[in-house]
Amino acid sequence: MALATAAVSLHPLLTRPASVLRVGIRLPPLLLRATSSTSTSASPDFNITFAEPAPSKKAPSAQPLVPWIVRGEDGKPRLSTSPPPDVLQAIALAEAEAKKAAKKETLKGPKGAVAAAAAAAASNASVKARKAAPTAPPKFSKAARRFYNENIKEREPQRLAKVLAAAGVASRRTSEELIFQGKVTVNGSVCTSPQTKVDISKDSIYVNGNRISKKLPPKLYFAVNKPKGYICSCGEDSKSVVSLFNDYLKGWNKIQPGLPKPRLFTVGRLDVATSGLIIVTNDGEFAQKLAHPSSNVTKEYVVTIDGAVHKKHLIAISEGTKIDGIMCIPDLVESLDAQSDTRKTRLKIVVHEGRNHEVRELVQNAGLQVYALKRVRIGRFRLPADLGIGKFVELKQADIKALEGNK
């Protein structure tokens, strides 16, 4: 009787809705079956239910961080979790353009959308074509080019023979002979290859036991009014064009203290009987470019003829002549004197080949005799009228540029 009363009193508790049961631990299936079978045998009216656990709301997974490398105010790169402002601006602009394009397509309708797509494809094709087309090299200012040549280009490793020539040891050909003879050492080892790359600021270079300076002399360019009787030789001849610079080189240490003396040489040659303009420099590349016949730099000569010059002579000179098997034709031939029957006649002859004795051969082939020959112009640079015979003047950048151009 007591058991029945307890069962009746427990009946409302067990039949209470499941939401009231706040049991935090869910019973295993075996225990659940045992409890239900026992309860059914004791009181078939019992209806025990268990609340299903509420689905757990998982916190959304955090977005992976994408590092950005940006440049800080100090100019050094650093990592950042947010894109740079210019990237955000570009993204915003792209989204705005996309929205505008979408609006235009909806307003135009199906046909307008097709036309817009075709126009966009054509635009993309033109952009790709422009990107694929070769672009002209950027133009830099004279100051930028000069800074590069003096501070960056000269620091790059260069061929050993070129470094020796630039350091004033000897000409490039003589420097190659010294290297082949084993008279040059680089960092304590004998070097027999002129093509060896060296850095004069880092490598230790010796020639015949004498160490080469770590610094190179500056590039120099001079215009000389060559006297008649002087030769264009780099030797120690007392009547060479380079000997005109002896006093200048003696005071080099006062002009450029701490720098080695430059090795000067003439650009091209004038024969011993020819006077006038000749260029003296220590820049081998410039000399090679200016003197080579392929440069087509014009040169103007004034020829003094012993005797009268007639029209037939001018025609004969203009037709040209063969020199070393190559036909050489002058660019211009004209008389500078009004009277053609005087004892001395001057002619102006302009050539661009620059071959040995070219002007003399042209005149002699016409049956004339050369009394005097003087060069007065190279490219667009003319021999200064106030430059005395045997004197020289240092060229400016504008003068150097004029040498490489033609009138």
Side-chain angles (χ1 to χ4, degrees):
M1 184 66 180
L3 181 59
T5 306
V8 172
S9 61
L10 288 174
H11 181 70
L13 178 62
L14 295 175
T15 56
R16 187 173 297 178
S19 60
V20 180
L21 298 179
R22 299 181 181 178
V23 181
I25 301 175
R26 186 173 181 178
L27 295 177
L30 292 177
L31 182 57
L32 179 60
R33 286 198 295 270
T35 307
S36 61
S37 60
T38 307
S39 305
T40 306
S41 60
S43 176
D45 295 334
F46 290 167
N47 186 12
I48 301 175
T49 59
F50 294 89
E52 292 293 334
S56 61
K57 296 182 179 180
K58 297 182 179 180
S61 58
Q63 295 291 335
L65 294 178
V66 179
W68 292 81
I69 300 178
V70 298
R71 194 173 296 278
E73 296 179 355
D74 55 353
K76 297 181 180 180
R78 60 181 180 82
L79 291 177
S80 175
T81 56
S82 60
D86 54 348
V87 175
L88 295 175
Q89 184 178 3
I91 294 173
L93 290 175
E95 291 179 351
E97 292 294 334
K99 289 180 180 180
K100 289 182 180 179
K103 284 184 178 181
K104 288 182 180 179
E105 290 181 2
T106 54
L107 293 175
K108 289 180 180 179
K111 294 183 179 180
V114 173
S123 177
N124 293 335
S126 63
V127 170
K128 290 181 180 179
R130 286 197 300 270
K131 288 182 179 180
T135 57
K139 296 182 179 179
F140 300 100
S141 64
K142 292 182 180 179
R145 293 196 300 269
R146 191 181 304 113
F147 178 83
Y148 172 79
N149 292 333
E150 295 178 357
N151 298 277
I152 299 177
K153 185 178 180 180
E154 296 297 336
R155 296 179 183 177
E156 296 176 355
Q158 298 179 352
R159 290 179 286 111
L160 179 58
K162 182 179 179 180
V163 170
L164 295 182
V169 175
S171 65
R172 192 172 300 187
R173 184 176 299 178
T174 306
S175 298
E176 291 178 353
E177 294 177 358
L178 292 173
I179 295 171
F180 286 134
Q181 294 171 4
K183 297 181 179 180
V184 180
T185 61
V186 179
N187 298 327
S189 301
V190 177
C191 182
T192 58
S193 175
Q195 306 298 328
T196 303
K197 296 284 186 177
V198 295
D199 187 346
I200 194 170
S201 63
K202 298 179 181 178
D203 297 325
S204 178
I205 305 173
Y206 284 80
V207 179
N208 290 328
N210 299 319
R211 185 170 183 175
I212 303 301
S213 174
K214 294 290 184 180
K215 296 181 180 180
L216 293 177
K219 299 293 177 65
L220 301 173
Y221 309 89
F222 299 95
V224 183
N225 190 354
K226 174 186 173 299
K228 187 177 178 180
Y230 277 68
I231 62 175
C232 298
S233 172
C234 297
E236 297 181 355
D237 196 301
S238 59
K239 295 198 71 174
S240 66
V241 174
V242 178
S243 67
L244 298 173
F245 291 83
N246 287 342
D247 293 338
Y248 174 81
L249 295 177
K250 285 179 181 178
W252 176 260
N253 292 331
K254 295 181 180 179
I255 302 172
Q256 299 284 352
L259 293 178
K261 290 183 180 180
R263 188 188 70 86
L264 299 176
F265 50 87
T266 59
V267 179
R269 292 178 181 271
L270 289 178
D271 58 58
V272 65
T274 304
S275 62
L277 176 62
I278 191 166
I279 305 301
V280 174
T281 182
N282 63 337
D283 188 346
E285 293 182 0
F286 170 80
Q288 175 69 14
K289 180 180 178 181
L290 186 62
H292 200 274
S294 62
S295 63
N296 291 325
V297 176
T298 58
K299 303 171 182 68
E300 180 181 334
Y301 294 82
V302 174
V303 189
T304 304
I305 305 298
D306 191 2
V309 177
H310 302 287
K311 186 176 181 180
K312 63 178 183 179
H313 296 127
L314 298 179
I315 294 174
I317 297 174
S318 301
E319 290 176 348
T321 186
K322 279 191 176 182
I323 301 176
D324 297 331
I326 298 175
M327 190 66 182
C328 297
I329 300 175
D331 297 342
L332 177 66
V333 178
E334 65 180 22
S335 177
L336 295 178
D337 295 325
Q339 301 294 331
S340 60
D341 57 348
T342 58
R343 295 182 58 184
K344 298 288 188 298
T345 307
R346 294 188 308 152
L347 301 178
K348 180 171 76 171
I349 300 178
V350 179
V351 297
H352 66 273
E353 291 285 345
R355 299 193 177 276
N356 193 23
H357 303 296
E358 180 179 358
V359 177
R360 291 183 180 273
E361 292 287 343
L362 288 169
V363 174
Q364 292 174 3
N365 184 64
L368 299 174
Q369 189 68 29
V370 177
Y371 177 79
L373 180 60
K374 182 179 182 179
R375 184 162 65 185
V376 296
R377 178 175 63 83
I378 299 176
R380 290 185 288 105
F381 180 79
R382 187 171 292 274
L383 180 67
D386 58 348
L387 187 61
I389 298 176
K391 303 299 181 179
F392 58 87
V393 61
E394 188 169 359
L395 300 179
K396 301 177 182 179
Q397 288 296 325
D399 301 328
I400 297 172
K401 188 176 181 181
L403 285 169
E404 300 176 351
N406 292 325
K407 274 195 172 181

